[in-house]
Amino acid sequence: MISVAMATYNGEKYLQQQLDSIAAQSILPDELVVCDDCSTDKTIEILENFKQKVSFEVRIFQNEINSGYVKNFARVISEAKGDYVFMCDQDDFWYPNKTEVVLKTFEENPNAQLVAHNAMCTDADLKPLGKTLFEFDVSRGLRYGSAIHGFVTCAKRSYLNYMLPIPYCYSFDRWLSLPAHELKIRYELDTVLGYYRRHENAITFDTIGKSQNFINIAKRKIKSNIRSIKRARSMEEIDYRYTRETSIIEFARRVKANEKLPEWIDEELLNKLESSAKIKVEAFKVRYNAISVTGLERLQRILRAYKKGVYKHFHGFQTALDDLFRYKCN
């Protein structure tokens, strides 16, 4: 069974094109599951009309309150029933062979639990920007194909069974991709299978889509650094990071709870992933102890932790400095 999981919010401008591209697939899905986050435009009307015209099932859920992109996507993935779940944004466009090629990739790579394909980056009118998504990764200093973008991914149910529910501290795509990468069950397919539409309302428009001239890059870095420093020095951020590691440990425990590990799991890699998370959790505990006090005593505890190598598991001196000035948000 094939599911498409789509999150929507005031998407009337581009939604119909995305829906039409799904309906034009050479291998149609068995269901389209949509979770709408309190849209105030014609999004629901467009979805209901589409539902009446297609041969596959369309299930539409509506949040009672606006929950945001992360929680909305987490919910729609949880509602999907398929053995293969294609993640879908409301404003992109799929090539007609997308589902067929991705399913064939899974067939040819039985160990893969997550497939991420390439896409052509375009402007709001689907005019190509001259680079694929994977090429943009390189231009931003990343490894070719390494960036995490949910709309190009499809996950097997056998993997999702261990990954759900999605922890609050992760976006759905990051949570699904990072363990898969470490366990070598994430397959990067260097085939363009859709248009990645970049427009001003897109979440990642500043990094992929907006003119990347010197001024825009400088502005983005300044804004990013200010936000990063402010966020990094809050108590909420350390709690957030701590929960990320405990979530990895819980994932490993769920997998190991079986009498026999799934065939696609490499036990050595799983143990390595779990061990790394446990080491960080213990380091977090030392950091919590240091920041539980204030003034000179906090400085002394942080220095002792630094000398013991606690901060080598994070960003070294920068994280120690963040802990020294860490505060609780109101």
Side-chain angles (χ1 to χ4, degrees):
M1 181 177 180
I2 303 168
S3 295
V4 174
M6 174 187 283
T8 61
Y9 175 67
N10 288 346
E12 66 175 5
K13 189 171 184 179
Y14 306 115
L15 178 58
Q16 189 63 57
Q17 282 186 310
Q18 173 67 92
L19 292 172
D20 289 343
S21 74
I22 295 171
Q25 291 299 298
S26 55
I27 296 181
L28 290 174
D30 296 287
E31 66 169 5
L32 167 64
V33 187
V34 184
C35 191
D36 184 73
D37 206 18
C38 302
S39 291
T40 57
D41 62 0
K42 294 181 179 180
T43 292
I44 295 298
E45 180 182 336
I46 293 170
L47 289 169
E48 291 290 353
N49 288 336
F50 180 76
K51 181 178 181 178
Q52 303 303 317
K53 298 177 182 178
V54 292
S55 59
F56 50 86
E57 183 179 14
V58 178
R59 295 190 288 128
I60 304 170
F61 298 89
Q62 292 177 268
N63 295 332
E64 293 183 1
I65 60 173
N66 184 273
S67 59
Y69 173 81
V70 174
K71 290 183 179 180
N72 195 33
F73 240 119
R75 180 186 178 189
V76 74
I77 293 171
S78 298
E79 297 286 356
K81 300 176 181 178
D83 301 305
Y84 298 89
V85 180
F86 287 80
M87 314 306 165
C88 184
D89 286 337
Q90 65 184 7
D91 51 5
D92 299 310
F93 187 91
W94 292 10
Y95 287 5
N97 63 337
K98 167 168 170 161
T99 56
E100 182 178 356
V101 172
V102 170
L103 292 172
K104 184 178 180 181
T105 301
F106 276 119
E107 183 181 344
E108 295 174 346
N109 301 273
N111 206 49
Q113 297 295 302
L114 189 79
V115 169
H117 64 77
N118 206 347
M120 177 58 66
C121 297
T122 76
D123 65 12
D125 298 318
L126 297 184
K127 180 180 179 181
L129 297 176
K131 285 185 179 180
T132 66
L133 182 61
F134 287 4
E135 288 170 338
F136 262 111
D137 291 347
V138 176
S139 68
R140 293 186 292 145
L142 303 173
R143 179 177 60 81
Y144 186 81
S146 64
I148 298 168
H149 301 276
F151 96 102
V152 299
T153 61
C154 177
K156 280 186 177 180
R157 172 60 52 189
S158 50
Y159 180 54
L160 290 175
N161 285 340
Y162 296 106
M163 300 302 290
L164 298 176
I166 297 172
Y168 80 92
C169 53
Y170 279 98
S171 62
F172 83 92
D173 43 8
R174 183 166 293 275
W175 171 240
L176 296 181
S177 290
L178 291 181
H181 174 72
E182 295 299 325
L183 295 172
K184 300 188 185 305
I185 54 176
R186 178 180 189 260
Y187 189 93
E188 295 160 9
L189 178 61
D190 191 12
T191 301
V192 174
L193 295 176
Y195 289 132
Y196 189 26
R197 193 196 304 261
R198 317 314 302 135
H199 54 91
E200 291 187 358
N201 292 327
I203 293 175
T204 57
F205 180 70
D206 277 354
T207 53
I208 303 178
K210 191 173 185 179
S211 176
Q212 299 300 301
N213 56 41
F214 175 79
I215 294 177
N216 284 336
I217 292 174
K219 283 182 178 179
R220 186 178 75 243
K221 286 187 175 181
I222 291 172
K223 287 167 59 178
S224 176
N225 287 339
I226 292 174
R227 287 197 305 267
S228 178
I229 291 173
K230 184 176 180 180
R231 184 177 65 244
R233 293 181 178 178
S234 69
M235 279 299 300
E236 284 75 6
E237 179 67 9
I238 192 173
D239 292 340
Y240 189 84
R241 299 289 178 179
Y242 173 81
T243 305
R244 282 190 168 189
E245 301 304 325
T246 58
S247 296
I248 293 293
I249 295 172
E250 287 302 315
F251 159 72
R253 287 174 178 170
R254 285 196 294 272
V255 175
K256 290 182 176 181
N258 295 280
E259 292 184 6
K260 183 180 179 181
L261 290 177
E263 293 182 356
W264 44 271
I265 283 287
D266 183 312
E267 186 173 7
E268 184 178 345
L269 292 177
L270 181 64
N271 288 336
K272 183 179 179 181
L273 179 67
E274 182 183 29
S275 176
S276 176
K278 286 181 175 179
I279 290 171
K280 282 193 174 183
V281 164
E282 292 306 311
F284 269 115
K285 291 178 180 178
V286 177
R287 291 175 60 193
Y288 273 117
N289 176 263
I291 62 180
S292 65
V293 295
T294 59
L296 182 60
E297 188 173 356
R298 175 184 286 195
L299 173 61
Q300 291 173 336
R301 291 188 184 186
I302 289 175
L303 287 174
R304 285 198 295 269
Y306 190 85
K307 289 179 180 179
K308 290 180 180 179
V310 169
Y311 287 96
K312 71 180 181 181
H313 303 295
F314 306 100
H315 294 291
F317 178 77
Q318 180 60 58
T319 303
L321 187 64
D322 290 337
D323 280 354
L324 182 62
F325 295 100
R326 195 166 296 282
Y327 64 96
K328 186 172 182 62
C329 294
N330 295 324

